[in-house]
Amino acid sequence: MLQDLNFPKFTFRFKNSENKVSIFDEIRKKFIILQPEEWVRQHTVRFLMEHKNYPKSLINVEKELKLNGLSKRYDVVVFNPDGSLHLIVECKAPKIKINQSTFDQIARYNLELNATYLMVTNGINHYYCQMDFENEKYVFLKDIPEYES
């Protein structure tokens, strides 16, 4: 049984094979083995599309990124139409507690990426920040803004 998350209810497509359950990823257009973090990621993507009106074409999932020569993967990213980054999302499994080091990690990534907004979620607790690049810090928000075309 999958854990209820602190998101609106969404309908997902599932597939069962070799005793593993997979969930269909609308962005990657394929079934992904359902792990706790993936469950959070899929809810996050649907939340961004269906409640914040971000176009599917601007959302990217599980992309690799070079940071100081190291390969890092981000969970979800939303681009602006000009190709710059609007939002980076770090997804954790529901049982992972979100703490200061989680934010420091995503803020470090973001010094390279320059996204305007950051979101960190474990599906239960969601935190939103807006970057202040001039002072190299972030400001907590109650929510992330809806997409404005």
Side-chain angles (χ1 to χ4, degrees):
M1 186 63 205
L2 292 162
Q3 182 171 354
D4 278 341
L5 301 178
N6 188 10
F7 278 110
K9 292 278 177 254
F10 299 113
T11 306
F12 295 101
R13 285 170 50 204
F14 298 99
K15 181 176 83 173
N16 217 330
S17 65
E18 297 166 24
N19 294 328
K20 286 190 167 66
V21 176
S22 297
I23 187 169
F24 188 75
D25 182 317
E26 303 258 340
I27 305 299
R28 291 178 276 185
K29 303 228 182 318
K30 63 181 183 181
F31 282 93
I32 307 293
I33 290 180
L34 188 54
Q35 305 281 4
E37 186 180 306
E38 192 61 47
W39 183 232
V40 173
R41 186 168 24 246
Q42 292 305 319
H43 276 80
T44 302
V45 167
R46 292 296 276 282
F47 171 73
L48 292 172
M49 290 190 311
E50 296 176 27
H51 288 266
K52 295 296 174 183
N53 301 315
Y54 287 99
K56 189 195 275 192
S57 61
L58 295 178
I59 299 174
N60 224 309
V61 174
E62 278 262 286
K63 274 284 183 259
E64 196 170 287
L65 166 86
K66 291 269 189 250
L67 197 65
N68 303 328
L70 299 172
S71 289
K72 300 282 185 189
R73 294 185 85 75
Y74 55 70
D75 291 304
V76 181
V77 68
V78 179
F79 291 96
N80 290 309
D82 69 3
S84 63
L85 282 174
H86 179 72
L87 167 73
I88 300 177
V89 185
E90 179 66 29
C91 298
K92 300 289 184 194
K95 67 176 194 292
I96 305 287
K97 198 167 162 39
I98 293 172
N99 57 24
Q100 189 62 46
S101 73
T102 315
F103 284 101
D104 293 344
Q105 176 192 1
I106 194 171
R108 263 196 314 277
Y109 282 6
N110 200 39
L111 288 174
E112 296 278 310
L113 298 171
N114 300 317
T116 311
Y117 297 98
L118 306 176
M119 175 179 173
V120 178
T121 181
N122 61 5
I124 310 300
N125 302 103
H126 319 300
Y127 300 93
Y128 311 99
C129 309
Q130 182 168 4
M131 288 301 287
D132 171 355
F133 289 104
E134 216 165 279
N135 300 303
E136 290 200 355
K137 61 180 190 156
Y138 45 87
V139 182
F140 282 92
L141 305 173
K142 291 216 181 319
D143 201 353
I144 47 170
E146 282 200 22
Y147 180 73
E148 291 168 32
S149 53

